[in-house]
Amino acid sequence: MRKLFPIFSIKTKILIICLIIIIIPIFVMTINSYSSSQRMLERKYTELMMDVAGQTNTRIDEYLKEIEKISLVASFGMNSNVSATAEDNYPIQEFLLADNKENENAAYGLLMNYVIMKDREISFYVYNLNGGQDLFVGTDPPYDYTYNPAEEEWFEFFRVSNSKTMTLDTHMDRQSKSGKLVISHVRKILNMNSGTLLGFMVVNIDLDVIDVVNGRLQEALRSRFTIVDESDNIIYNADTGLIGRKFSETVRPNPSTHIIVTSPFERERWTTYLYMPKSELSAEGDIFRQNIVLLAGLMMLFAAIVSVFLSSVITRPIKKLMNNILLVEKGQFDQVADIRSSDEIGHLSTRFNRMSRELKGLVEQIQREVSEKAAAEMLALQSQINPHFLYNTLGSVKWIASMQQADKIVEMTDALIAMLRYAAGSEGAVVTLRSELANLRNYMAIQKVRYYNRIRMVVDTDEALLDCPMPKMILQPFVENAIFHGLSGQEEEGLIEIRIIRKTKDIVIEVEDNGIGMDEDTAAALRSSLTEAQHGQRGIGLHNVRRRLQLYYGSRYGIEFESRLHEGTTFRICLPLSRELESERGAVG
């Protein structure tokens, strides 16, 4: 094959192949045949979906009509347990006029018969407007007896209207604690003798009834079956999260890419939408696309002649080159293979292989330098921070020993031992927030003795955050700076507040004091020392903490602060939320 195309360029090879295939006539004929069959399929499926939507609407209308009849008969019908000649043969009427136990049992039995007759898909709520108690009959107890439907907007609207019945679109059943989505049919119950309004009967229809009606639809069509009201609000969709939202703003498809049919209800102000993507038209379209198969056969006949040229002359070396590129992207430099070709791809491969070998050496060198630099910085920073507090504490112990009794020395020594054990612990450089706060309390025990309990610390945190991992010895430098630079020089009581807050995927720790604060020049100098590694009066501790945070978590994490003269200072430390706590938060949400 190489002898037929000795040293041709890729451009020449592609030109020869395209001329042999004769793309343009076959393309035009194929598009024409496909378009005609596509239009026929769209018309067929539009008619089919219109028929399906109409039948579904009819079944839902019939179900609602049956519920309306049940509410009428239940409001004025007779109890089967009494004779037709008896005077007391209207259980609902009698219950609303006198809500004694006998009338309540008769009304309850009547309504429960209807609930069972409809396979427990409905429930009855009878609201007494005659001063008596309400009656709830259904299969979804317990009920929320604190819920008052009279506070709903529809209740007063229906009470003063001339209508005998009304339908409430999909809503949550607030009377029942089950929280189901229902469609409600509401009927006024009038006194058969005087015609006065005695109460309302609300028949709640479980939204699952529509799922049963749609049981004959294919799964794909069932998820694209939507009912909307006259205001374009969705009252039914397989995805219940869409109910109550605007159809046009959520799932309404693009007419250019979907077949959409609409079917209005006869008895309700509702409209059914049924739609499907044009790309999912049935395989029945193969009958209309036989001409495309014939043209494709001709094209395959021509393509067979040149397929060897495409695979051996163009495809094979390009695929090898792409595989080499992927290997380099993965860092597998040693597996890069040579491509033997005399054209442009061969020359490109040669230069690429040379570049990959040089890149391998550079990557290995950079990796060694970065690893050594990070390890050296971490060791240096850790060694700077660990002894920093020791000198101050030992000075405090010496001063207290000369001024106080032995019990104070014991108290400070115990706290110091605990801090030294924590700082020199073998568990590593990462601890939990709980351990860090425990170390901070030991530190404050020493400082409270030194300052005669004039300084106190308050911690406000969520217990769920205490097991979050963080680098060791992060918080103590902030409290130390708050004491020595903010609180030690003032006579009134000093307060250090530590607040630990969860914000999305991060944890923010605030350390606030009510000390002397900083003026603008001092604050600017501190910010400069934090970012430029300058060591001022506050420099070593805070700068090292910032560097450790960024070495652990990256440049987006670190330290911020704000301060006002004579009002205090607030430092904020930002840490990433651990994966375990983040997954627990998602499960609760």
Side-chain angles (χ1 to χ4, degrees):
M1 232 19 92
R2 292 197 191 102
K3 293 180 179 179
L4 294 176
F5 297 89
I7 312 179
F8 283 2
S9 66
I10 294 178
K11 180 179 180 180
T12 304
K13 296 173 184 177
I14 295 175
L15 179 60
I16 293 173
I17 294 171
C18 290
L19 289 175
I20 294 174
I21 294 177
I22 313 174
I23 296 175
I24 296 177
I26 297 178
F27 180 77
V28 172
M29 294 175 64
T30 302
I31 292 299
N32 179 58
S33 298
Y34 177 77
S35 298
S36 62
S37 63
Q38 189 76 4
R39 286 192 295 269
M40 293 179 65
L41 275 176
E42 290 179 12
R43 287 196 298 270
K44 177 181 177 181
Y45 271 87
T46 300
E47 295 172 358
L48 176 62
M49 292 168 63
M50 281 291 295
D51 185 54
V52 170
Q55 292 181 14
T56 303
N57 286 3
T58 300
R59 288 194 293 269
I60 296 175
D61 265 333
E62 291 175 351
Y63 189 92
L64 295 177
K65 183 177 180 181
E66 186 177 355
I67 294 300
E68 184 175 348
K69 291 180 180 179
I70 289 176
S71 71
L72 177 62
V73 175
S75 299
F76 303 103
M78 295 185 299
N79 191 335
S80 59
N81 295 325
V82 298
S83 66
T85 60
E87 295 180 1
D88 195 10
N89 58 357
Y90 303 106
I92 302 300
Q93 295 270 327
E94 296 298 332
F95 170 75
L96 293 176
L97 291 172
D99 57 351
N100 55 55
K101 195 63 178 179
E102 180 180 356
N103 290 341
E104 179 183 355
N105 291 338
Y108 185 91
L110 174 66
L111 297 180
M112 181 54 75
N113 287 337
Y114 289 118
V115 171
I116 296 174
M117 181 181 70
K118 300 304 293 181
D119 296 330
R120 304 180 184 272
E121 297 169 344
I122 62 175
S123 57
F124 291 89
Y125 299 150
V126 179
Y127 296 111
N128 198 330
L129 301 182
N130 199 36
Q133 66 177 357
D134 301 331
L135 179 63
F136 307 140
V137 182
T139 58
D140 296 319
Y143 299 107
D144 185 359
Y145 293 98
T146 63
Y147 169 67
N148 183 10
E151 298 176 355
E152 301 286 351
E153 183 178 349
W154 66 265
F155 194 93
E156 180 63 20
F157 171 81
F158 184 51
R159 189 182 67 81
V160 300
S161 70
N162 295 325
S163 301
K164 298 293 189 298
T165 63
M166 72 178 295
T167 300
L168 299 179
D169 294 342
T170 305
H171 62 281
M172 182 178 292
D173 184 0
R174 297 177 61 191
Q175 189 68 69
S176 171
K177 294 183 179 181
S178 64
K180 283 187 176 181
L181 293 175
V182 296
I183 297 173
S184 298
H185 170 77
V186 188
R187 174 177 292 278
K188 289 180 179 177
I189 304 177
L190 304 177
N191 191 311
M192 296 183 63
N193 297 321
S194 64
T196 58
L197 181 62
L198 296 178
F200 291 166
M201 175 180 288
V202 178
V203 185
N204 281 348
I205 306 167
D206 197 327
L207 201 61
D208 292 340
V209 169
I210 299 181
D211 290 333
V212 175
V213 172
N214 290 338
R216 299 180 181 179
L217 292 178
Q218 297 178 355
E219 183 65 28
L221 283 179
R222 196 178 308 150
S223 64
R224 298 164 186 153
F225 179 89
T226 303
I227 302 177
V228 302
D229 62 13
E230 59 186 352
S231 301
D232 196 44
N233 295 316
I234 298 175
I235 62 175
Y236 174 78
N237 188 281
D239 182 1
T240 56
L242 297 173
I243 292 177
R245 301 173 64 183
K246 295 290 185 183
F247 178 64
S248 58
E249 297 175 359
T250 52
V251 294
R252 186 183 184 95
N254 187 344
S256 63
T257 58
H258 288 72
I259 299 174
I260 307 174
V261 298
T262 60
S263 178
F265 282 73
E266 292 183 4
R267 296 172 53 84
E268 303 291 342
R269 303 181 307 277
W270 299 344
T271 302
T272 292
Y273 285 84
L274 192 60
Y275 48 91
M276 69 175 295
K278 294 179 180 179
S279 60
E280 294 183 6
L281 294 180
S282 172
E284 296 176 10
D286 293 341
I287 300 175
F288 302 101
R289 293 194 288 266
Q290 289 181 354
N291 52 347
I292 296 178
V293 175
L294 293 175
L295 293 175
L298 293 174
M299 186 175 64
M300 289 296 295
L301 184 61
F302 283 102
I305 300 175
V306 295
S307 60
V308 177
F309 299 100
L310 290 173
S311 60
S312 61
V313 179
I314 298 178
T315 308
R316 188 180 302 163
I318 291 178
K319 287 184 177 180
K320 287 184 178 180
L321 182 57
M322 287 297 298
N323 185 58
N324 288 345
I325 294 174
L326 292 174
L327 291 173
V328 171
E329 288 179 354
K330 297 177 181 178
Q332 300 174 0
F333 298 96
D334 297 331
Q335 300 183 22
V336 174
D338 293 331
I339 299 176
R340 301 183 180 278
S341 179
S342 302
D343 55 19
E344 287 90 339
I345 295 180
H347 296 307
L348 180 62
S349 174
T350 301
R351 288 171 173 76
F352 177 79
N353 290 349
R354 185 182 304 134
M355 181 192 69
S356 66
R357 287 190 291 270
E358 295 175 356
L359 182 61
K360 176 185 177 183
L362 289 174
V363 168
E364 291 176 348
Q365 180 181 352
I366 292 173
Q367 288 176 341
R368 287 194 301 270
E369 292 176 352
V370 169
S371 177
E372 293 171 358
K373 180 180 178 181
E377 287 185 349
M378 288 296 293
L379 290 175
L381 293 176
Q382 189 74 40
S383 63
Q384 274 188 307
I385 291 175
N386 284 338
H388 183 62
F389 167 68
L390 180 60
Y391 301 121
N392 293 331
T393 303
L394 291 177
S396 299
V397 172
K398 180 179 179 180
W399 181 76
I400 290 295
S402 63
M403 300 295 295
Q404 301 293 328
Q405 298 298 321
D407 55 348
K408 295 296 182 181
I409 297 177
V410 170
E411 181 180 349
M412 291 185 65
T413 303
D414 287 341
L416 177 59
I417 291 172
M419 292 187 66
L420 291 177
R421 184 180 294 114
Y422 176 78
S426 60
E427 65 272 9
V430 177
V431 297
T432 63
L433 183 55
R434 189 188 308 275
S435 299
E436 188 74 356
L437 288 175
N439 180 66
L440 207 55
R441 291 187 180 93
N442 287 325
Y443 173 79
M444 283 303 300
I446 297 173
Q447 297 302 333
K448 289 171 90 174
V449 173
R450 176 176 180 180
Y451 289 98
Y452 295 97
N453 291 321
R454 188 165 50 85
I455 299 175
R456 62 189 181 92
M457 181 181 72
V458 178
V459 178
D460 181 12
T461 181
D462 184 352
E463 288 292 329
L465 302 178
L466 292 180
D467 293 321
C468 181
M470 64 180 296
K472 183 190 292 185
M473 300 293 290
I474 290 295
L475 298 182
Q476 185 265 330
F478 293 96
V479 177
E480 181 178 345
N481 275 287
I483 294 175
F484 289 107
H485 299 289
L487 301 174
S488 62
Q490 66 180 20
E491 295 182 358
E492 58 270 16
E493 182 186 63
L495 175 64
I496 300 174
E497 294 186 66
I498 298 178
R499 293 181 291 273
I500 304 172
I501 309 167
R502 175 187 296 173
K503 290 187 177 179
T504 62
K505 296 184 178 181
D506 296 332
I507 294 178
V508 177
I509 304 174
E510 295 183 351
V511 181
E512 179 180 353
D513 66 72
N514 63 344
I516 61 175
M518 292 179 276
D519 56 28
E520 294 183 359
D521 293 339
T522 305
L526 179 58
R527 287 191 178 91
S528 176
S529 69
L530 289 177
T531 56
E532 299 177 7
Q534 299 173 357
H535 291 172
Q537 290 181 343
R538 306 169 186 246
I540 248 192
L542 302 186
H543 172 72
N544 287 347
V545 167
R546 174 180 173 274
R547 286 290 297 136
R548 290 180 65 200
L549 290 175
Q550 293 187 345
L551 284 173
Y552 273 100
Y553 304 123
S555 59
R556 69 179 291 258
Y557 295 98
I559 303 170
E560 296 179 353
F561 75 92
E562 58 186 30
S563 180
R564 291 186 179 181
L565 192 62
H566 306 305
E567 293 185 12
T569 303
T570 301
F571 281 88
R572 295 183 182 86
I573 307 104
C574 186
L575 305 172
L577 188 66
S578 68
R579 293 181 178 178
E580 293 79 4
L581 291 176
E582 187 176 348
S583 63
E584 292 177 6
R585 180 190 180 196
V588 173

